[in-house]
Amino acid sequence: MGEATVVLGIESSCDETAAALVTGGRRIIAQRIASQEAAHAPYGGVVPEIAARAHAEKLAPLIEAVFADAGMALGDCDAVAATAGPGLIGGVMVGLVTAKALAMAGDKPLIAINHLEGHALSPRLGDPDLEFPYVLLLVSGGHCQILRVEGVGRYTRLATTIDDALGEAFDKTAKILGLGYPGGPQVEKLATQGDPAAVPLPRPLLGSREPHFSFAGLKSAVLRAAESGEYARADIAASFQQAAIDCICDRLSVAFEIIDEVSALVVAGGVAANRAVRGALEQVAASHGLRFVAPPLELCTDNAAMIAWAGIERLRLGASDPLDIAARPRWPLDPDAEPVRGAGYKA
Ligand code: KG4
Ligand code: ZN
């Protein structure tokens, strides 16, 4: 499936409204993202009802703008792909119902995309040499998992978090330090001015035999360090980031004991935009003789190009979905994965 194939992608599962046109030749013809950061900032987090309303207002003009940018129309597309879950259900419904309407009006196949699969396949959009199977560290605001990616739609989950996701830990640390929302990029920025060894912080589950994650204890320790008044904020940010990185590297090294025959270590999801995290993972990959692949920074956080690309990957396999397909608030990549003790809805 080459340059001639064009898919429209739509993303609306959290607080970014996004649309993109991507070709089977891995070219992003046009893409636009409307962030709702300003609308949610006063509340220190995403308010689902505000998000759903904003998606409903912004999505149609955004799609129109993407077509205008590309000098194309719906008739030029081969399929319409939209996030159908997991995520905030009101927003997901706005995107999915819009995609259904376009698919019906243009007589195009509808492709319902798992948002997590969008992240999981996003590194293949930027890297034509990335072949299956690969090991994926998926680190976003709602998820922290290690997966073996066997192929499109084929995932084996090796580890997950038993409490907070990594992006959530960054966001909570940002809140404790009085930084704005979303916190990840701000913690990263402040950390560059701090000493990663200044604050003694725990590394939860370090050395544990199973490769699962836990970040709740780390967050509590950050809160205690901040309340003690003993440490500079930049030192807390840097020490938190270092503790989180140590946890990821340790958990991956345990996972690698049970993983074989993979071509690369791949990172995806919002936290993959963190340069310190990327640098540490590059070393982990090198020590296991693997290639390291990360999407370009702008494709790490939520976007529609990755949804369009996942649509292309599925279209290539002949997939399309019925117009009555439902939006799903929860949709694990590996439905057969065993529940982990202590894990909540994020499993
Ligand atoms: O994938 P994403 O955009 O949305 C979800 O599907 O959750 O991930 C958002 C998460 C947020 O928790 C955000 O703070 C975090 O990714 N994030 C970062 C960075 N950029 C985004 N965390 C650490 N460093 C960053 N540079
Ligand atoms: Zn995401």
Side-chain angles (χ1 to χ4, degrees):
M1 205 160 276
E3 205 34 42
T5 306
V6 178
V7 170
L8 169 68
I10 295 171
E11 160 60 32
S12 60
S13 65
C14 192
D15 59 345
E16 323 278 355
T17 314
L21 288 162
V22 175
T23 73
R26 295 184 155 78
R27 189 165 62 91
I28 301 171
I29 305 173
Q31 74 162 323
R32 287 198 181 217
I33 303 181
S35 170
Q36 303 171 6
E37 261 170 46
H40 300 291
Y43 306 95
V46 179
V47 183
E49 176 62 23
I50 293 175
R53 282 166 193 250
H55 289 304
E57 284 162 17
K58 288 183 186 161
L59 185 56
L62 199 81
I63 293 169
E64 224 168 19
V66 164
F67 277 127
D69 292 347
M72 296 173 86
L74 180 59
D76 301 315
C77 295
D78 293 280
V80 181
T83 295
L88 302 174
I89 198 67
V92 174
M93 285 169 66
V94 169
L96 185 58
V97 88
T98 303
K100 287 177 180 180
L102 290 170
M104 197 156 52
D107 194 21
K108 305 289 178 190
L110 169 75
I111 309 185
I113 301 294
N114 181 324
H115 177 86
L116 301 173
E117 176 155 69
H119 281 301
L121 300 176
S122 65
R124 281 166 55 85
L125 171 56
D127 188 334
D129 299 324
L130 178 59
E131 303 281 355
F132 302 119
Y134 53 83
V135 175
L136 172 70
L137 175 69
L138 178 62
V139 276
S140 68
H143 292 81
C144 186
Q145 303 189 342
I146 302 173
L147 298 137
R148 193 171 194 274
V149 182
E150 321 284 351
V152 177
R154 296 195 294 132
Y155 302 90
T156 306
R157 196 197 73 193
L158 302 162
T160 188
T161 178
I162 62 171
D163 42 54
D164 294 350
L166 183 54
E168 198 177 352
F170 268 93
D171 293 336
K172 286 178 176 171
T173 295
K175 210 167 186 176
I176 291 166
L177 297 179
L179 305 168
Y181 178 87
Q186 310 212 34
V187 170
E188 177 179 13
K189 200 166 152 212
L190 188 59
T192 59
Q193 296 157 31
D195 173 2
V199 186
L201 292 173
R203 270 82 174 144
L205 294 183
L206 200 84
S208 142
R209 292 302 305 152
E210 287 185 316
H212 297 304
F213 299 90
S214 167
F215 294 108
L218 176 55
K219 174 206 62 192
S220 304
V222 166
L223 180 62
R224 284 194 298 274
E227 284 177 349
S228 77
E230 281 177 47
Y231 305 104
R233 287 190 325 155
D235 287 341
I236 297 175
S239 300
F240 158 77
Q241 187 171 269
Q242 189 56 52
I245 287 172
D246 289 351
C247 290
I248 303 170
C249 295
D250 176 71
R251 310 290 65 217
L252 275 170
S253 69
V254 172
F256 276 119
E257 289 171 19
I258 49 173
I259 295 168
D260 54 3
E261 292 177 33
V262 290
S263 62
L265 169 62
V266 174
V267 66
V271 186
N274 184 295
R275 287 178 181 79
V277 169
R278 290 164 87 102
L281 293 176
E282 200 163 0
Q283 288 182 16
V284 171
S287 70
H288 287 87
L290 295 173
R291 279 181 68 211
F292 174 64
V293 181
L297 291 183
E298 66 278 13
L299 291 185
C300 290
T301 43
D302 288 349
N303 65 87
M306 71 180 190
I307 302 303
W309 175 253
I312 286 176
E313 296 253 33
R314 296 198 82 89
L315 192 66
R316 198 182 268 155
L317 299 177
S320 74
D321 292 295
L323 288 175
D324 63 353
I325 193 163
R328 298 177 62 171
R330 294 174 200 181
W331 187 358
L333 280 178
D334 178 0
D336 300 328
E338 280 180 25
V340 177
R341 195 171 58 89
Y345 67 96
K346 294 171 199 88

